[in-house]
Amino acid sequence: MKTNEKIIIVGGGLSGLTLAYLLSKKNIETTILEASDRLGGRIQTIKGISDTPLELGATWFSDFHSNLISLLEELNLKKYPQYSRGKSLFQTKSFEPPQEFYVPESQNPSYRIANGTQALIDTLAKKTLFENILLNTEVKSINEIADKVVIAIADGREYKADKVIITIPPQLVASKIKFSPILDNSLVEVLPTVQTWMAGAIKFTLEYSEPFWRNEGYSGMLYSHAGIVTEMYDHTNFEEDKYGFTGFLNGGATSYNQEVRKEFVLRQLGELLGIKALNPIAYFDKIWTDKFVLSGNPIIHRPHQNNGHPLLQKEYLNGKLLFCGTETASEYAGYMEGAIIAAKKITNKIIN
Ligand SMILES: Cc1cc2nc3c(=O)[nH]c(=O)nc-3n(C[C@H](O)[C@H](O)[C@H](O)COP(=O)(O)OP(=O)(O)OC[C@H]3O[C@@H](n4cnc5c(N)ncnc54)[C@H](O)[C@@H]3O)c2cc1C
């Protein structure tokens, strides 16, 4: 790379922030343009009424996710295993009692990040040497003009760069960003067919003043084919002094408002875990269909469709446009690990 090249990163999720952090360690300055009013993208930890870190987005990872684990170590962030001790429940039919099962102590447990996954985002933003992060900056078009790229923002602002690295999901690139000159036809055909992992998912969290389920021998883990909650896990914090659940709701839940979704969730948990489940301190949920994650109705036939596609590894606009982001990763695409793998790969491309 030539010295003093100006690099713009589109998207302030895990991939964009990891890329900015890794490049800043090499003394390479970047500017992040983020469309929304917050950093993190598909990572979003909120604080409950008792300050419990509650995950509306990415939560778990395993020992296989070695790039994520080494980044956490480098940033001095702690991981801890997902609680799974005690009776877990599997509900097949709403009119039959749930089956009870015990999750064996695993060689490969799922982990969570102490203080919430957002701690990773906040720490990356803090440790990136150059503080060039622009929120509320939605990229609308990228135009190659001579040896530069001009990046136009929804509100009319423009930024000029030598290189632009797009970390937003490829499906969004296809529907939201105009290119001049237009991109290769083969790429234009692939972009809308790349599945954005977890787009459309509905995640819920509950906060409680005590871990009543633990005290009664339950793990808090639930799988159900019968109720609005399809999967649920204990969501106690690292220090084990704040309590809750997190999990996923079935797709049909989108047709109810949040108050009704809460009512259905509590009814199901009340039947399975008893009346103490009926009185949480707080309930939150998020349907991941907003314009920063999904656009239109993409035709996706299988999970992770076209993730890591070879065309996403190439350079465009005469080497001035590169793709990053978890969906471009050739391994663990869709996951936090993939977001970091992609950022490492682009870093190596830029510094070599
Ligand atoms: C509900 C849910 C649960 C998940 N659970 C897990 C889990 O347990 N474990 C795991 O490993 N992974 C999980 N994931 C996936 C994980 O969140 C992603 O792999 C990872 O966060 C992706 O990071 P990214 O930077 O590649 O993309 P994103 O996080 O999508 O970041 C892209 C950023 O670009 C911004 N943006 C979009 N359009 C524009 C534009 N036009 N201009 C500028 N900026 C733009 C977005 O606002 C966003 O901030 C989950 C995801 C969801 C939604």
Side-chain angles (χ1 to χ4, degrees):
M1 183 189 126
K2 285 176 255 152
T3 49
N4 293 329
E5 270 200 340
K6 185 161 172 48
I7 299 180
I8 284 186
I9 298 172
V10 181
L14 179 56
S15 208
L17 283 163
T18 304
L19 181 58
Y21 167 72
L22 294 175
L23 289 174
S24 93
K25 287 208 305 181
K26 302 283 173 194
N27 223 25
I28 297 174
E29 187 169 349
T30 59
T31 298
I32 293 183
L33 308 182
E34 165 57 47
S36 73
D37 59 3
R38 63 172 185 89
L39 291 174
R42 281 172 275 172
I43 290 169
Q44 187 175 8
T45 313
I46 54 167
K47 288 289 168 75
I49 288 169
S50 301
D51 235 17
T52 312
L54 301 166
E55 306 292 357
L56 292 175
T59 308
W60 301 281
F61 54 99
S62 75
D63 284 319
F64 295 113
H65 297 168
S66 55
N67 290 279
L68 172 57
I69 289 176
S70 57
L71 181 61
L72 292 173
E73 282 167 2
E74 180 175 326
L75 298 174
N76 284 321
L77 295 171
K78 289 198 185 80
K79 66 177 187 347
Y80 68 113
Q82 170 64 47
Y83 185 82
S84 62
R85 231 171 303 137
K87 281 178 281 185
S88 296
L89 299 176
F90 180 40
Q91 195 183 24
T92 49
K93 298 188 178 76
S94 54
F95 49 85
E96 281 179 8
Q99 294 165 21
E100 291 184 356
F101 66 100
Y102 289 84
V103 178
E105 197 116 324
S106 172
Q107 302 277 31
N108 289 300
S110 280
Y111 298 109
R112 297 170 53 200
I113 299 174
N115 298 318
T117 318
Q118 193 79 35
L120 173 56
I121 295 296
D122 296 346
T123 309
L124 283 170
K126 218 179 297 157
K127 295 218 168 173
T128 298
L129 290 179
F130 308 100
E131 287 177 10
N132 301 326
I133 298 176
L134 305 178
L135 299 177
N136 302 306
T137 303
E138 183 178 354
V139 172
K140 280 288 189 198
S141 72
I142 297 177
N143 306 311
E144 183 186 29
I145 296 176
D147 58 348
K148 301 275 181 210
V149 270
V150 176
I151 296 149
I153 309 307
D155 59 12
R157 276 175 291 158
E158 283 189 348
Y159 296 92
K160 213 182 247 186
D162 297 288
K163 254 191 204 337
V164 56
I165 298 147
I166 296 185
T167 74
I168 76 175
Q171 192 259 330
L172 276 189
V173 177
S175 57
K176 293 291 188 65
I177 302 185
K178 302 256 171 300
F179 293 88
S180 159
I182 52 171
L183 295 175
D184 302 1
N185 208 31
S186 48
L187 178 67
V188 169
E189 280 173 10
V190 164
L191 289 175
T193 69
V194 180
Q195 194 209 7
T196 305
W197 186 237
M198 285 291 177
I202 314 169
K203 190 105 187 265
F204 77 97
T205 66
L206 279 162
E207 196 184 18
Y208 288 93
S209 54
E210 52 156 348
F212 63 88
W213 59 97
R214 286 189 181 198
N215 301 340
E216 290 163 20
Y218 288 101
S219 67
M221 209 179 275
L222 161 69
Y223 296 94
S224 173
H225 294 165
I228 191 168
V229 176
T230 55
E231 264 180 61
M232 189 178 84
Y233 305 88
D234 179 294
H235 207 40
T236 301
N237 66 347
F238 170 70
E239 293 80 6
E240 300 212 320
D241 59 1
K242 300 185 195 302
Y243 316 99
F245 294 127
T246 192
F248 295 91
L249 303 184
N250 69 36
T254 48
S255 52
Y256 309 120
N257 66 32
Q258 196 180 53
E259 219 20 65
V260 176
R261 292 198 290 272
K262 176 183 172 185
E263 216 178 285
F264 279 128
V265 167
L266 293 185
R267 194 183 304 167
Q268 184 180 355
L269 298 190
E271 282 165 12
L272 295 170
L273 296 172
I275 52 163
K276 287 187 181 155
L278 298 177
N279 291 308
I281 311 172
Y283 171 90
F284 304 92
D285 66 23
K286 174 158 177 161
I287 303 174
W288 285 86
T289 49
D290 61 78
K291 64 174 182 164
F292 304 124
V293 77
L294 188 66
S295 170
N297 286 312
I299 301 165
I300 303 298
H301 301 291
R302 57 187 163 81
H304 300 287
Q305 179 174 295
N306 283 338
N307 282 186
H309 195 284
L311 290 177
L312 298 170
Q313 319 306 320
K314 289 188 165 181
E315 301 180 355
Y316 297 88
L317 303 182
N318 298 306
K320 294 194 275 299
L321 167 66
L322 293 101
F323 289 96
C324 187
T326 189
E327 274 73 27
T328 72
S330 30
E331 271 185 294
Y332 299 106
Y335 302 98
M336 293 187 278
E337 173 74 0
I340 295 165
I341 289 176
K344 282 190 166 173
K345 188 167 171 183
I346 295 295
T347 304
N348 286 335
K349 253 191 191 173
I350 288 176
I351 60 177
N352 292 316

